[in-house]
Amino acid sequence: MRGEREHILSRFDDDLNGLRDLALKMGEVVAVLVEKAGQALVQTDAGLARQILHQAKRVNEFDMEAQEEGVRILATHNPVARDLRLVLCLGRSVVDLEHIA
């Protein structure tokens, strides 16, 4: 991980960083959608609400991509201890973000 110890296999580090980056991008998209949803609600803007629903599909794509990547990491690298906890926490985080969106 960036700033932390690196693994012998740089591919493992790249995969973990990729999953983490994907979760962060997803979080940024969700934060924007929540802000826009608040605006749509306050302004009773049905057009903006429709745009938000359309953009929420991208969050579903992030969720599916992150879940697949997490499973791939578990299957190919067989992480343990801290790395396993990271993969599981990121998986749970993307599920929560998808529910928020």
Side-chain angles (χ1 to χ4, degrees):
M1 303 299 298
R2 293 179 189 130
E4 297 178 13
R5 71 173 174 81
E6 292 190 8
H7 298 94
I8 294 171
L9 296 174
S10 64
R11 180 68 187 154
F12 185 34
D13 288 321
D14 292 345
D15 288 348
L16 289 174
N17 287 331
L19 181 58
R20 192 191 94 243
D21 291 346
L22 184 62
L24 289 172
K25 286 179 196 173
M26 185 178 179
E28 290 170 0
V29 170
V30 169
V32 169
L33 289 178
V34 168
E35 183 178 341
K36 286 183 179 181
Q39 291 172 357
L41 185 63
V42 168
Q43 299 169 0
T44 59
D45 187 339
L48 181 57
R50 278 189 293 277
Q51 288 176 349
I52 293 164
L53 290 174
H54 180 70
Q55 292 171 347
K57 291 178 183 177
R58 179 66 182 129
V59 173
N60 292 337
E61 292 170 8
F62 272 124
D63 178 40
M64 290 174 44
E65 185 179 346
Q67 295 297 330
E68 289 172 6
E69 182 64 13
V71 168
R72 190 186 67 72
I73 290 171
L74 292 173
T76 59
H77 298 294
N78 197 23
V80 296
R82 181 176 67 177
D83 299 323
L84 178 60
R85 288 189 297 272
L86 175 63
V87 172
L88 295 176
C89 287
L90 288 172
R92 178 63 191 175
S93 296
V94 298
V95 169
D96 290 344
L97 287 170
E98 195 273 331
H99 288 160
I100 291 168

